[in-house]
Amino acid sequence: MNIYYIGNGFDLSHNLNTSYLDFKQYFKKNNEKYYNKFADLYGLRRIVGYDYDGDAEYEDDDEAIRQLWSDFENTLGKIDYGFIEAKFVERSMALDKTDSEFEGIFDPDLEWKKDIYIENMDLYELYKPLQETFISWVNSIEKTKCSSAPKYSPNPLYPIHDKNSLFIVFNYTHTLQKMYNIDDDNIIYPHGDSNTTPIFGHGDKEVARKILKHEIEDADDRYILNWISEYLENTLKHVDSYLKDVEIFFNFNNISDENIIIKVIGCSFGKIDLQYFEQANNLFPLAKWEIGYFSEADFSRIIEFLRLNNMMEQRNKVKLICTNDDLDIRTKLKLKAKAYGF
């Protein structure tokens, strides 16, 4: 029995534009208003000057910002505190502006005034536009006529076998069905797919509560913190629930712990990925592992995973396979793996 875990590197190797830097460009092009608000919220652009009209000019593509976009889902849990402080400063300006708009109005409707005040604070519904743009991006990828085979597809990760195999796919696309004729019944998408609602988000369960722990007495400033906390809750990926779905998928397919090979392709072993691999190791302690890695960063995270799960002493059941299509990089990474006994 083969159990495949398929990550975004798999789609990228099939020449699909599925990186989060690709999403950044799509977001900016198709929803610039909310892209700018999103970038401000996370410190993903910075003022570098002003034009002749006094309008700010922004930089949103330096290396630090690119790194944050590359780690998009984890970045969702990292609100830029400068944004919060700026909102506290803007609060009094919003109050003054609101009061001036209602000057001379006898006994104004308080709820109406509150709505205008909130609008002047520029606290906006961001999650819905973000979600809608993300779904639109995923659907645009799915409309790609056909992906192509990877330039480098090493054994034993390839060829991909449908018979007696199950697939846990973290992507939202249907590359397995299109390229390898994998049956839908053999696949589970824990985070949804383009036919349902793609689920994206950070994995920090505590960050929303941490925001609320700030000692703020002013009711309007507290409103700002509540808004940010609610947004962070909306962008949380509830992995515990998805792990249960995967376990039900395994049980439905009557998997035993004998003769299992777990094949990992295109996964970065980030914070969310790790929970699925830890689950697999606990459910199938006798399984052999064949793990693909593309970069030195991937390799380092895999080694850490093996250490934390006491698998470094069981090298006989773990194979590490470099999937980088650059021969020089691949040679360098293989030497590093050899130094660790793989």
Side-chain angles (χ1 to χ4, degrees), residues 88 91 95 117 121 217-225:
F88 290 163
R91 179 188 61 77
L95 181 59
Y117 177 35
M121 280 199 291
E217 294 183 4
D218 184 273
D220 294 315
D221 285 349
R222 175 57 56 181
Y223 181 88
I224 293 170
L225 291 184

Side-chain angles (χ1 to χ4, degrees), residues 280-331:
N281 190 47
N282 291 330
L283 291 174
F284 312 116
L286 302 179
K288 294 182 178 180
W289 290 69
E290 296 169 357
I291 305 173
Y293 63 98
F294 186 81
S295 67
E296 189 167 346
D298 293 344
F299 180 83
S300 297
R301 287 189 289 266
I302 291 167
I303 292 297
E304 185 65 15
F305 162 74
L306 296 175
R307 281 177 173 158
L308 291 174
N309 288 273
N310 302 314
M311 296 169 69
M312 290 293 285
E313 294 75 25
Q314 305 174 55
R315 289 178 176 81
N316 62 316
K317 75 171 193 176
V318 179
K319 290 182 180 179
L320 301 186
I321 302 104
C322 184
T323 59
N324 198 299
D325 56 18
D326 185 299
L327 179 58
D328 291 338
I329 295 175
R330 191 162 69 242
T331 301

Side-chain angles (χ1 to χ4, degrees), residues 5 33 46 55 60 85 116 124 151 171 186 188 223 242 260 272 288 295 313:
Y5 285 83
K33 174 185 175 182
R46 55 188 175 82
D55 296 325
D60 67 350
E85 291 179 327
I116 297 296
Y124 36 78
K151 292 180 181 178
N171 307 332
N186 289 7
I188 183 172
Y223 181 88
Y242 314 142
I260 289 178
I272 290 176
K288 294 182 178 180
S295 67
E313 294 75 25

Side-chain angles (χ1 to χ4, degrees), residues 5 168 170 188-191 199 205 237-253 255 272 275-280 283-284:
Y5 285 83
I168 295 85
F170 300 135
I188 183 172
Y189 291 89
H191 307 152
I199 301 165
K205 300 176 184 177
K237 210 173 208 177
H238 297 279
V239 179
D240 290 345
S241 173
Y242 314 142
L243 287 168
K244 290 177 183 176
D245 293 338
V246 171
E247 187 166 359
I248 291 170
F249 177 69
F250 287 148
N251 292 336
F252 180 80
N253 285 280
I255 299 180
I272 290 176
Q275 298 175 68
Y276 291 94
F277 302 138
E278 288 166 356
Q279 177 193 51
L283 291 174
F284 312 116

